[in-house]
Amino acid sequence: MKTLVVYLMSGPKTPALAAAAVAGGADVVELGFPFSDPLADGPVIRRAAERALRQGMRTRACLDCLARTRELVPETPLVPMTYSALLEAYGWDRFARDVQSAGATSLIVADLPVDVRPELRRIQLVAPTSTDERMLIAAERTDGWLYLVTLTGTTGARADVSPALAGLVERARAVTDVPLYAGFGISTPEQARAAAELADGIVVGSRPVEVAEKGPEPLQQYVRTLRDAVDSVVAV
C-alpha cells in the first residue's frame, strides 16, 4: 500500500481539518509551523504562513495545535515541518522535547543540512541536485522515510510530475531500502497516481492548503480523490 502524506498549515482550525484529511484517507499529516521567510515554499503556502502568523501562530501556539490534533487523530503519524531559525529561537533541546510531548511522530526542518544537528531526530530531504554521497548520508540518518524533493524549486502545483522523479528514485534505491516519499509539484489525482507508481508514497501540500480554506468537508473529499488514485496503483 502506498502512503499518502497531506500537508496543512498550523492554525486555529487545523485540528479539525487534519481529522477531515485522515477521514479522507491521509496516512500521515504534515503540519507546517509558519515562518516569515520560508525558502522552500511557494506562494500558496507562503500566504498561508502569513495568515497563520497574523492569527498569532507562533511556536508555542503551533505546539498546542499539534497537541490538539493528536487528540483528534490519536493513531495518525503527525510530522511538523519547520525551519531552523524557529528552533534556534525557541531552543533546540527544548523544541525537541516539547514537540515530542505534543505528539509529533517525527520532524522536518527544511533548511537544516543533514550534517548539522545530527542529534535532532528528523526526516531528511534529498533533491535532484543532491550528490550520491549526500544522498547516502541522508538515507542513513533519516527518521523512517526519505523525502524526495522532485524538482529544483519551491512548493506549488505544476502541470506534470517532475521528469526528474524517476531518476531520483533510482538513485535513492541504489543506496537505501528506506521508504521513499515524493513531494513538491503534486496536486491532482493523476499526478498522485503517476508519482506513486515510482515512489513508496507521496506528499501533497499546496492544493490541500487551498482546499482547506473551504472547510473540512471539501478537504476530506479532495483527499479521498488522492487516496483513490494512490490505491489504484496497488490494484494494477
Side-chain angles (χ1 to χ4, degrees):
M1 182 175 178
K2 305 286 185 171
T3 299
L4 173 59
V5 184
V6 172
Y7 173 101
L8 297 169
M9 180 60 67
S10 295
K13 299 179 181 179
T14 301
L17 292 167
V22 172
D27 298 302
V28 179
V29 176
E30 186 181 337
L31 294 175
F33 281 25
F35 180 50
S36 58
D37 189 22
L39 300 179
D41 294 322
V44 170
I45 294 179
R46 281 177 178 268
R47 287 192 295 267
E50 290 168 0
R51 288 194 299 270
L53 291 171
R54 288 196 297 269
Q55 293 170 326
M57 296 304 295
R58 304 302 188 262
T59 302
R60 183 66 257 175
C62 290
L63 291 169
D64 292 341
C65 173
L66 169 63
R68 176 57 180 152
T69 304
R70 172 54 68 211
E71 292 174 357
L72 296 183
V73 289
E75 304 300 324
T76 302
L78 300 177
V79 180
M81 194 287 265
T82 186
Y83 288 86
S84 58
L86 295 183
L87 277 67
E88 182 73 32
Y90 191 86
W92 292 91
D93 294 339
R94 178 187 175 208
F95 186 89
R97 181 180 64 252
D98 288 358
V99 79
Q100 185 174 11
S101 296
T105 308
S106 189
L107 179 67
I108 296 172
V109 187
D111 61 344
L112 190 64
V114 63
D115 46 5
V116 177
R117 296 278 174 176
E119 75 281 1
L120 184 66
R121 179 171 157 261
R122 63 191 189 270
I123 294 160
Q124 301 290 347
L125 296 86
V126 296
T129 53
S130 299
T131 65
D132 291 344
E133 179 183 8
R134 299 295 286 183
M135 191 174 292
L136 175 59
I137 296 172
E140 290 175 342
R141 297 183 182 177
T142 200
D143 184 30
W145 48 278
L146 193 61
Y147 194 138
L148 305 184
V149 178
T150 64
L151 44 83
T152 53
T154 59
T155 60
R158 302 294 199 277
D160 299 292
V161 171
S162 170
L165 177 57
L168 186 59
V169 169
E170 182 178 2
R171 291 175 58 213
R173 292 208 191 281
V175 300
T176 186
D177 58 1
V178 302
L180 308 175
Y181 298 173
F184 283 54
I186 301 171
S187 62
T188 68
E190 294 74 20
Q191 292 168 343
R193 183 182 301 111
E197 287 175 348
L198 297 168
D200 302 305
I202 63 166
V203 185
V204 187
S206 293
R207 186 57 183 156
V209 168
E210 287 183 318
V211 177
E213 295 178 28
K214 303 175 184 177
E217 185 174 348
L219 178 63
Q220 180 176 337
Q221 293 172 353
Y222 167 70
V223 173
R224 175 54 58 187
T225 67
L226 299 176
R227 177 81 264 168
D228 292 343
V230 168
D231 286 348
S232 72
V233 175
V234 180
V236 296

